[in-house]
Amino acid sequence: MDREEAIQTVKARLSQAGAVAVLTGAGISADSGVPTFRGADGLWRNFKAEDLATPEAFARDPRLVWEWYNWRRELIAAKSPNPGHLALARMESQHARFLLITQNVDGLHRAAGSHKLVEIHGNIWKVRCTACKQVTDNHDVPIAIPPSCLSCGGLLRPHIVWFGEPLDEPTLDQCMGALASCKVLLIVGTSGLVYPAASFAPIAKAAGAFVAEINLDPTPNSQLVDVSIQGRAGEILPELL
Ligand code: BV8
Ligand code: ZN
């Protein structure tokens, strides 16, 4: 079906859906000017992720890892939510049950006004003390490198889930609950390569949800979804309201 038909199909499904879940990835922030991880301007092409977004990298060289995160904080601090983020913030009040699950750590969904939101990979504006484990908000740009805990002087790390680290259990349970009960799941701007988020579309599909994907390119999810809309999230999402 062509793009217009696909949009009408998804709109019709959404209008009858009491429960809706959305999964977003870096692609929804691309329209705000935040580089994606694996795209042409890929964030990771310049900085090898395996060398930076891991606990081993941080243990080996906390300064290097903090330099990368500080670079991203400075970049993101200058960006604002785009019509895609704003559309999802508005969508939340149109359904009795709604959950926005994001892999993004940039905080733009929260800035757009989303409340029913879980940031499954953490948030770049939160830090966690490696000693006393306290989690605090930190918007310093630039951040002192390496930053230390105001309570105990311990080394602070980004409150972000790195590769090889488990996701927060209660958060994951909340996602599973939404995936099991949603009538519609929208998958927006994710390459579908990182687990466990990459398993969310098949889980929702198996539970009987209507699954629609919005992405510039085909992804591993494309053949299992009911509808795949090729386009920019910032343009398509407002058309679904
Ligand atoms: C865990 C923090 C277990 C960093 C991130 C082999 C098989 C299966 C799994 C594994 C495996 N080997 C290793 C694993 C596990 C690993 C994993 O999945 N690796 C992958 C690479 C194979 N997963 C983990 O380690 C997870 N933890 O499994 O723990 C465990 C259990 C118990 C005890 C101990 C351990 C943790 C995963 C979290 C990693 N952290 N982020 C940081 O951000 O600073 S992941 C990182 O990738 C980001 O969070 C990002 O959000 C995420 C996914 O990337 P995308 O969001 O999809 O972005 P990407 O650039 O890839 O794609 C952008 C898409 O948008 C593209 O499709 C593009 O076409 C599209 N697009 C672009 N512009 C637009 C657009 N679409 C629409 N409109 C546009 N304008
Ligand atoms: Zn501390």
Side-chain angles (χ1 to χ4, degrees):
M1 67 176 82
D2 72 16
R3 181 163 129 165
E4 200 35 50
E5 262 177 289
I7 288 172
Q8 292 314 318
T9 305
V10 177
K11 265 182 90 163
R13 288 282 180 155
L14 283 170
S15 64
Q16 298 147 2
V20 170
V22 184
L23 171 66
T24 62
I28 194 167
S29 293
D31 291 336
S32 295
V34 180
T36 62
F37 287 86
R38 298 169 186 85
D41 60 347
L43 184 63
W44 285 352
R45 220 155 48 100
N46 318 336
F47 301 83
K48 280 181 61 58
E50 301 76 61
D51 301 341
L52 294 172
T54 68
E56 295 75 21
F58 189 70
R60 190 174 55 243
D61 190 345
R63 298 187 65 84
L64 175 69
V65 173
W66 265 116
E67 258 137 45
W68 180 48
Y69 277 97
N70 184 60
W71 175 75
R72 289 174 65 194
R73 287 161 60 106
E74 289 186 338
L75 183 139
I76 292 164
K79 309 296 181 201
S80 32
N82 67 61
H85 295 108
L86 297 168
L88 291 181
R90 280 179 50 207
M91 192 183 284
E92 121 178 358
S93 55
Q94 292 175 351
H95 302 277
R97 295 176 63 188
F98 182 92
L99 186 64
L100 171 50
I101 303 166
T102 189
Q103 300 172 87
N104 299 340
V105 299
D106 57 32
L108 290 176
H109 281 304
R110 206 168 290 288
S114 288
H115 300 288
K116 296 178 180 174
L117 165 71
V118 282
E119 296 170 313
I120 59 170
H121 293 162
N123 185 305
I124 203 162
W125 300 113
K126 289 182 188 294
V127 291
R128 184 169 81 236
C129 178
T130 55
C132 73
K133 308 299 176 209
Q134 201 179 49
V135 175
T136 49
D137 283 332
N138 179 304
H139 288 262
D140 299 348
V141 171
I143 190 167
I145 292 180
S148 44
C149 176
L150 296 179
S151 313
C152 79
L155 171 64
L156 297 178
R157 60 165 278 176
H159 186 51
I160 280 182
V161 180
W162 283 330
F163 285 101
E165 294 186 320
L167 275 65
D168 173 61
E169 211 46 52
T171 301
L172 213 43
D173 292 345
Q174 196 181 351
C175 294
M176 290 303 143
L179 296 168
S181 58
C182 68
K183 289 280 169 288
V184 173
L185 169 68
L186 301 181
I187 311 265
V188 185
T190 181
S191 56
L193 299 173
V194 173
Y195 287 81
S199 60
F200 289 2
I203 288 171
K205 189 91 194 92
F210 176 88
V211 184
E213 176 181 53
I214 296 167
N215 200 308
L216 285 184
D217 304 325
T219 72
N221 284 320
S222 299
Q223 54 262 53
L224 77 86
V225 300
D226 296 286
V227 168
S228 197
I229 305 176
Q230 198 157 7
R232 306 192 73 85
E235 288 166 17
I236 304 285
L237 285 170
E239 293 185 45
L240 294 182
L241 285 179

